Amino acid sequence: MVIKPAVLKLGGSVITNKREPMTPNMPEIERLSREIARAKVSQLILIHGGGSYGHPLAEQYALKEGYKEQTQLVGFSKTHQAMVALNKLVVDALIRQNMAAVGLQPSSLVVTSSGRIRSIEEQPLRNMLEMGFLPVFYGDAVLDSDLGFTILSGDQLAAFLAVQLGASKIILGADVDGLYTSDPKSDPSARLIRRATLSDLRNMEHEIEKARVTDVTGGMAGKMLELMPAVGKKISALIVNAATPNNIYKALKGERVIGTTIVKG
Ligand code: ADP
């Protein structure tokens, strides 16, 4: 059987309330689950972010920078466990829509080196897709061969899996309409970029790098950097506002939707 899944990443900003620690946005999780079920994509990998579950703990224990002292170990446990709890909410909601969703732990399947994915145990994932399951990954604390451990973002995982499995497309569901000329939350004159090529992104790389440094969670700039290798392999990427009803449904169906399409060009 040919494996050619679509990869959908749902941002932590959409499925949690970012201002309140450990608070899910259940109405959004339920609505997005209904949209995913309705779209009936034959092969789909879902990845979700951490939002108010993973981020505060990961920051408190400085997990991304790697092992410095033993007290961080319990921080790793707490961060991972928070993500397991959020993953359960997402997977339960999908199962309520009669989808054969199964949560997969990046911490058990992935090893990074200096923060980049080095290896991933692919066979369970491939077999699941062949059988018609919906695997549901998340951003997680993972083991790192140089740093001891680190934080693996859902964005990096989404792009990596898309390349590794030759995905049909990557959809990133964000809490803004797509890539703008600057952060639309702080700049009212920011304009939505409807279509960008890889060379457009390369030209913006300096700007992107600057923005990435100021946003520890990666933000939109981090997403662009992660997407570039996948787009280079001719996997088109679409960033849409997942908080707008029906956007994720339309994106999964390949229907026209407001957002940013990134193509190799
Ligand atoms: P998530 O946690 O949902 O994966 P992030 O919060 O990390 O997403 O990143 C998305 C955010 O990036 C947006 O809410 C927006 O405020 C910010 N952002 C910064 N620069 C831009 C830009 N040029 N275009 C769009 N969003 C941007």
Side-chain angles (χ1 to χ4, degrees), residues 3-7 161-170 234-235:
I3 302 275
K4 202 170 177 56
V7 173
L161 289 173
V163 170
Q164 201 75 359
L165 298 173
S168 56
K169 58 184 167 189
I170 306 179
K234 292 200 169 150
I235 301 167

Side-chain angles (χ1 to χ4, degrees), residues 23 31 66 130 135 140 159 172 190 194-195 239 246 264:
T23 312
R31 177 183 61 78
E130 273 179 16
D140 201 1
L172 294 190
R194 292 294 301 258
R195 190 184 157 89
I239 303 141
N246 276 322
K264 188 169 181 211

Side-chain angles (χ1 to χ4, degrees), residues 9 11-13 18 175-176 178 180 182-185 217 219-220 223:
K9 151 91 197 311
S13 313
K18 260 197 163 173
D175 66 342
V176 291
Y180 284 76
S182 58
D183 189 346
K185 286 192 181 150
T217 64
M220 193 54 72
K223 293 181 200 310

Side-chain angles (χ1 to χ4, degrees), residues 23-44:
T23 312
N25 188 336
M26 281 317 294
E28 286 295 78
I29 292 174
E30 297 290 352
R31 177 183 61 78
L32 288 162
S33 299
R34 286 196 296 274
E35 290 189 25
I36 293 165
R38 200 154 53 87
K40 292 193 171 64
V41 180
S42 60
Q43 290 180 358
L44 178 66

